[in-house]
């Protein structure tokens, strides 16, 4: 649902008149024709629970970005400003640790805090990571399978590092990979109109399809 159209809906429905509802229904229909998609909008009175306006409210829609707003709000209320990054036990000269799903470790796009990194670095002895507490599939229900290669659909894991993403920057002469650990997993593909990077579905092997202005890796 487009945010601008939602604001328009609220404006029309402020008076709750039949004319406003009829005009709004017409606007929604014209929007569907213009953008060639399906739209749904339901407005309820929070005190009475009465439906003020309903357009395609009974239809099923694939969850989209508007769902993220409720997810974000719920996370802020439940999690607060921080969550435990690790669970661990010390056994003689070894540190055994489990992840908690915290996505921020070494991932600057979320929040860079070196506390966890420094803790592991200064632990001394051997470090052993266990994923025994993680039982979820790497892709969640309803995720489009062909989106797996994009950063907005990073796979889930018990201990995300760099947000479970690999950043590839292409300039005029070279492809730069971060983290550099994955540099050796890249191979060249056929030339395309614009640079494109594709990761294999089940393993960290990447194919770079450079544009004609970029030299192959």
């Amino acid at each position: 649902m487009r945010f601008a159209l939602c604001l328009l809906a609220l404006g029309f429905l402020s008076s709750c008149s039949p004319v406003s509802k009829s005009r709004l229904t017409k606007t929604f229909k014209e929007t569907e024709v213009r953008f060639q998609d399906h739209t749904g909008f339901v407005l309820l009175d929070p005190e009475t629970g009465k439906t003020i306006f309903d357009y395609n409210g009974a239809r099923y829609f694939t969850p989209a970005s508007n769902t993220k707003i409720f997810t974000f709000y719920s996370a802020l209320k439940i999690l607060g400003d921080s969550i435990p990054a690790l669970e661990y036990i010390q056994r003689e000269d070894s540190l055994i640790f489990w992840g908690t799903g915290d996505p921020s470790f070494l991932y600057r796009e979320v929040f860079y805090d070196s506390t966890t990194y420094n803790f592991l670095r200064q632990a001394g002895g051997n470090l052993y990571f266990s994923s025994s507490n993680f039982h979820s599939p790497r892709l969640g229900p309803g995720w489009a399978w062909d989106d797996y290669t994009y950063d907005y659909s990073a796979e889930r894991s018990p201990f995300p590092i760099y947000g479970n993403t690999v950043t590839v920057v292409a300039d005029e002469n070279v492809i730069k990979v971060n983290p550099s650990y994955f540099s050796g997993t890249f191979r060249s593909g056929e030339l395309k109109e614009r640079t494109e990077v594709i990761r294999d579905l089940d393993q960290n092997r990447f194919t770079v399809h450079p544009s004609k202005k970029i030299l192959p890796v």
Side-chain angles (χ1 to χ4, degrees):
M1 184 65 240
R2 293 172 178 81
F3 183 66
L5 193 55
C6 287
L7 294 178
L8 179 65
L10 295 175
F12 278 145
L13 293 173
S14 60
S15 62
C16 301
S17 67
V19 175
S20 296
K21 294 180 180 180
S22 176
R23 184 179 177 185
L24 185 58
T25 298
K26 180 181 178 181
T27 300
F28 274 111
K29 290 182 178 179
E30 291 175 348
T31 300
E32 289 185 312
V33 173
R34 178 182 177 185
F35 292 99
Q36 298 182 353
D37 62 7
H38 298 290
T39 299
F41 182 81
V42 177
L43 182 65
L44 302 177
D45 186 318
E47 295 183 353
T48 65
K50 180 181 178 181
T51 300
I52 299 175
F53 180 79
D54 186 331
Y55 183 81
N56 288 338
R59 288 189 177 183
Y60 290 102
F61 290 85
T62 301
S65 295
N66 51 359
T67 306
K68 300 174 185 177
I69 298 175
F70 297 102
T71 302
F72 177 67
Y73 177 79
S74 299
L76 285 179
K77 287 296 184 180
I78 297 173
L79 301 178
D81 62 356
S82 61
I83 62 175
L86 296 174
E87 294 181 355
Y88 67 92
I89 57 175
Q90 187 81 42
R91 292 288 177 83
E92 297 180 353
D93 62 344
S94 300
L95 180 74
I96 306 171
F97 65 97
W98 297 261
T100 61
D102 176 13
S104 65
F105 185 69
L106 299 180
Y107 188 38
R108 295 177 182 271
E109 294 297 327
V110 178
F111 175 71
Y112 185 74
D113 186 342
S114 60
T115 302
T116 305
Y117 176 80
N118 290 335
F119 170 76
L120 294 175
R121 183 181 182 183
Q122 298 170 7
N126 300 316
L127 296 177
Y128 295 97
F129 170 70
S130 172
S131 61
S132 60
N133 64 335
F134 184 71
H135 307 286
S136 301
R138 55 193 177 91
L139 298 178
W143 291 16
W145 72 268
D146 54 346
D147 282 348
Y148 76 93
T149 192
Y150 300 107
D151 60 354
Y152 59 79
S153 189
E155 298 176 9
R156 299 185 297 187
S157 71
F159 186 57
I161 302 176
Y162 292 98
N164 285 349
T165 62
V166 176
T167 302
V168 182
V169 179
D171 58 26
E172 294 183 355
N173 298 309
V174 68
I175 301 291
K176 298 180 180 179
V177 179
N178 184 49
S180 58
Y181 172 85
F182 293 99
S183 298
T185 65
F186 280 71
R187 59 185 179 181
S188 297
E190 60 184 4
L191 294 176
K192 291 189 175 183
E193 291 300 320
R194 61 178 184 177
T195 302
E196 185 176 8
V197 180
I198 302 296
R199 185 180 73 90
D200 289 1
L201 179 60
D202 296 317
Q203 56 184 320
N204 288 321
R205 185 172 61 180
F206 302 82
T207 301
V208 180
H209 298 279
S211 69
K212 298 178 181 178
K213 297 181 180 180
I214 306 295
L215 294 178
V217 295

